[in-house]
């Protein structure tokens, strides 16, 4: 508090008197100070935090290194929805698109042709120094190629994998990925053609393309994966697929909320409220449409530690009010409200601007939602296997728990 007072009085803290070159770091630090949901910054001496991480930023020799310094500063607040991202990461484009309305005044400057990036439609994670595919968007370039969840990515066209840079200037061209599907196993080569990905459009298309029927024990189990829930349009797709689309003849439903982004609203659970009536409109041609569709058949939800934010509210309510089994692993425990900022160089900063509680003051931040049926999923070298999905199919087809 003393350092903060001196800065206000005109005597700048020591970090502010260092050599120039950390303008973006300082801009991010200032935005956090002025917008973080806890005005006391959880009791942290923010000037001291800045002073300790600023040298790392100044000494970094790459964009990734500078981003790591800012994210290390943000991590000091031990809060979700604190993310700094650059154009080297798919998450940058995805988050900018999710927050596009609030960023609309700056988008034209930094994205004159709209928000998009070159990629193949995969989610990846670093595990023990190796890069693994953790998810594949249905219908994407990767979805059309022979890539599977759990594959270790070794190289792209002979160079180290970079999630965006590896595919720049290669959209539509054949790219060769070297992968390993088994631990210490042989190296395989997969050819894929990168595409220009518009995040919201890609998430909506992948959601539709993921919808399918799984035959099991004489039952038709519907499945759909909601990668992002940042908008009513995703819920509309779910209801359309259930009412009139590929899932209309399903005997039960698997609602996959694993990984991706949140944004869901609690009222989305009304879809499963069997006590409310359906409302159907029919025009003069005989065409019908649903204004209020309800799913009255069995349903199970899939969650994992990538289920975050508004998706966790859905998981909490789904479990509490007994709509069905919640299968997988505990959710992320990331339930604060975030706001997006574009910094002066076009990089992205998300700051937690509101605390969030559910029902009578219960907080999920740092806690998450536990499944009703715990099913671990070891990603490395999974070779496309999905034990959590398999368990959901078994539960819904047999009508019993393990």
């Amino acid at each position: 508090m003393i350092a903060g007072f001196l800065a206000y009085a005109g005597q700048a803290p020591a970090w502010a008197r260092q050599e120039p070159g950390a303008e973006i770091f300082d801009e991010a630090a200032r935005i956090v100070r002025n917008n973080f949901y806890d005005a006391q910054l959880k009791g942290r001496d923010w000037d001291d935090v800045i002073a300790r991480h600023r040298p790392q930023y100044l000494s970094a020799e790459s964009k990734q290194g500078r981003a790591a310094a800012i994210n290390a500063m943000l991590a000091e607040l031990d809060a979700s929805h604190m993310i700094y991202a650059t154009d080297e990461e798919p998450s940058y484009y995805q988050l900018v698109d999710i927050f596009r309305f609030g960023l609309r005044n700056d988008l034209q400057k930094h994205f004159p042709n709209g928000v998009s990036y070159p990629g193949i439609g995969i989610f990846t994670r670093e595990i023990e120094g190796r890069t693994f595919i953790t998810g594949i968007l249905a219908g994407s370039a990767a979805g059309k190629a022979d890539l599977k969840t759990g594959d270790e990515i070794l190289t792209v066209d002979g160079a180290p994998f970079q999630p965006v840079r590896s595919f720049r200037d290669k959209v539509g061209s054949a790219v060769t990925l070297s992968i390993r599907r088994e631990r210490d196993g042989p190296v395989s080569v997969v050819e894929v053609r990168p595409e220009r990905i518009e995040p919201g459009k890609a998430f909506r298309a992948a959601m539709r393309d993921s919808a399918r029927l799984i035959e099991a024990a004489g039952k038709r189990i519907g499945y759909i994966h909601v990668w992002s829930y940042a908008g009513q349009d995703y819920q509309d797709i779910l209801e359309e697929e259930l009412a009139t689309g590929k899932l209309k003849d399903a005997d039960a439903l698997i609602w996959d909320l694993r990984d991706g982004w949140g944004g869901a609203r609690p009222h989305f659970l009304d879809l499963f409220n069997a006590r409310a009536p359906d409302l159907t409109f029919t025009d003069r041609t005989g065409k019908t449409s649903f204004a209020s569709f309800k799913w009255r058949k069995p349903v199970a939800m899939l969650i994992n530690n990538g289920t975050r934010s508004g998706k966790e509210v859905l998981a909490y309510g789904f479990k509490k009010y007994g709509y069905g089994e919640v299968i997988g692993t505990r959710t992320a425990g990331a339930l604060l409200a975030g706001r997006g900022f574009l910094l002066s160089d076009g990089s992205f900063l998300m700051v937690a601007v509101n605390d969030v509680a559910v029902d009578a003051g219960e907080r999920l931040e740092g806690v998450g939602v536990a499944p009703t049926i715990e099913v671990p999923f070891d990603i490395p070298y999974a070779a496309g296997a999905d034990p959590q999905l398999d368990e959901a199919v078994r539960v819904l087809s047999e009508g019993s728990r393990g």
Side-chain angles (χ1 to χ4, degrees), residues 239 242-243 270-272 277-279 290-296:
E239 294 183 9
L242 291 174
D270 290 346
L271 171 65
F272 304 104
D278 290 338
L279 188 61
F290 286 91
S292 177
F293 174 79
K294 303 300 176 185
W295 179 260
R296 306 176 192 279

Side-chain angles (χ1 to χ4, degrees), residues 289-350:
S289 60
F290 286 91
S292 177
F293 174 79
K294 303 300 176 185
W295 179 260
R296 306 176 192 279
K297 303 173 188 178
V299 56
M301 175 187 285
L302 295 183
I303 61 172
N304 65 6
N305 62 3
T307 303
R308 53 184 289 114
S309 195
K311 286 182 177 179
E312 294 186 85
V313 177
L314 297 182
Y316 169 88
F318 190 90
K319 177 182 176 181
K320 179 175 181 178
Y321 299 108
Y323 288 115
E325 300 291 1
V326 181
I327 299 169
T329 54
R330 185 178 291 270
T331 63
L335 191 60
L336 298 173
R339 177 183 173 190
F341 299 84
L342 277 178
L343 305 191
S344 53
D345 67 342
S347 57
F348 177 86
L349 176 69
M350 179 162 60

